Amino acid sequence: MAKPIKNCPIDQTLQVISGKWKAVIIHVLLENPVCRFSELQARLKNCSRRMLALQLKELERDGILTKRVYPTVPATTDYSLTERGKQLKPIIDSMQSWGE
Amino acid sequence: MAKPIKNCPIDQTLQVISGKWKAVIIHVLLENPVCRFSELQARLKNCSRRMLALQLKELERDGILTKRVYPTVPATTDYSLTERGKQLKPIIDSMQSWGE
DNA sequence: CCGTATCCAAGTAGATACTG
DNA sequence: CAGTATCTACTTGGATACGG
């Protein structure tokens, strides 16, 4: 009962979604299952290209989303949630409810 | 449908709980409704006194918890969640489930 | 179009010492 | 006991320029 925490499941989850733009990215992808890089950028008004790329890379690394690259010229990419990513929906939803 | 986000409810919530130790503090207070400063410190093994004080001060400012000070010598204090703070339970709980 | 590399300014957090 | 003050090292993120 007096166990020290941190690195508990709660923090695992927080690490994954608490990047500056991550929760919002997940939210967008829950509503729009497939998004191109430029679509995401358009929706996240103040998020720089650099930041967006960073956040997406981390989300991909953590198994939350999948990136597909099409060998067109110029290159196009799109992003969509994995199953594990979709399971974040209850959390994002309750965060939205609480925030109102 | 193409509205830019950020500063949406999701982010409001994230701001409140995503401090380095905040989610864990809330979790502890959900299980132990009244905690003294030293109790919290004991449970958050790697959290310095300074950090704990900072996080608590922000949580108090955001209306998540209430601080009571008893004019004993030496001073003692305790912390407990507000109603609004208690309403974070579904979020913390689902974060815990997901993290496992 | 979709990034990456570099530089730099600002913010953040630990260590330590002090206070009512 | 429960903090605050200060100093410093580390991290973060914006601006800009370049690359496939």
Side-chain angles (χ1 to χ4, degrees), chain B:
Chain B
M1 191 183 164
K3 281 175 283 187
I5 16 204
K6 197 68 179 177
N7 290 343
C8 58
I10 294 176
D11 270 302
Q12 307 287 341
T13 307
L14 202 54
Q15 242 73 284
V16 169
I17 65 171
S18 72
K20 226 191 171 190
W21 292 91
K22 290 182 186 176
V24 188
I25 292 171
I26 294 164
H27 181 231
V28 169
L29 285 174
L30 281 167
E31 291 188 334
N32 312 270
V34 178
C35 281
R36 299 192 35 195
F37 187 89
S38 46
E39 282 180 69
L40 288 167
Q41 225 193 334
R43 289 172 195 280
L44 280 56
K45 266 276 173 59
N46 300 319
C47 183
S48 67
R49 213 161 51 230
R50 173 188 139 90
M51 271 308 296
L52 182 54
L54 272 171
Q55 302 283 291
L56 288 171
K57 195 181 273 186
E58 289 185 22
L59 287 169
E60 190 187 7
R61 180 201 64 196
D62 293 338
I64 306 305
L65 53 76
T66 307
K67 170 185 179 174
R68 276 180 305 190
V69 182
Y70 301 94
T72 53
V73 176
T76 63
T77 57
D78 64 34
Y79 296 86
S80 50
L81 294 174
T82 61
E83 281 313 307
R84 182 148 179 78
K86 289 175 191 163
Q87 284 164 16
L88 287 166
K89 182 163 169 37
I91 302 180
I92 302 289
D93 286 350
S94 51
M95 281 178 42
Q96 176 141 40
S97 311
W98 189 90
E100 289 165 353

Side-chain angles (χ1 to χ4, degrees), chain A residues 1 6 13 20 43 95, chain B residues 1 13 20 43 95:
Chain A
M1 186 179 165
K6 196 70 179 177
T13 307
K20 225 190 171 191
R43 289 172 196 279
M95 281 178 40
Chain B
M1 191 183 164
T13 307
K20 226 191 171 190
R43 289 172 195 280
M95 281 178 42

Side-chain angles (χ1 to χ4, degrees), chain A:
Chain A
M1 186 179 165
K3 281 175 286 190
I5 15 205
K6 196 70 179 177
N7 289 345
C8 58
I10 293 177
D11 270 302
Q12 307 288 338
T13 307
L14 201 55
Q15 242 72 284
V16 168
I17 66 172
S18 72
K20 225 190 171 191
W21 294 90
K22 290 182 187 176
V24 188
I25 292 171
I26 294 164
H27 181 231
V28 169
L29 285 173
L30 282 168
E31 290 188 336
N32 313 271
V34 179
C35 281
R36 299 194 31 197
F37 188 90
S38 46
E39 283 179 69
L40 288 167
Q41 225 191 335
R43 289 172 196 279
L44 280 57
K45 266 277 171 62
N46 301 319
C47 183
S48 67
R49 210 161 55 230
R50 171 188 141 90
M51 270 309 295
L52 182 54
L54 273 171
Q55 302 283 292
L56 288 170
K57 193 181 276 187
E58 291 186 19
L59 286 169
E60 191 187 9
R61 181 203 63 194
D62 293 338
I64 306 306
L65 53 75
T66 308
K67 170 184 180 174
R68 275 180 306 192
V69 182
Y70 301 94
T72 53
V73 176
T76 62
T77 58
D78 63 35
Y79 295 86
S80 49
L81 294 174
T82 59
E83 281 312 308
R84 180 147 179 80
K86 288 174 192 163
Q87 285 164 14
L88 287 167
K89 182 163 169 38
I91 301 180
I92 302 289
D93 286 350
S94 50
M95 281 178 40
Q96 176 140 40
S97 312
W98 189 90
E100 289 164 353

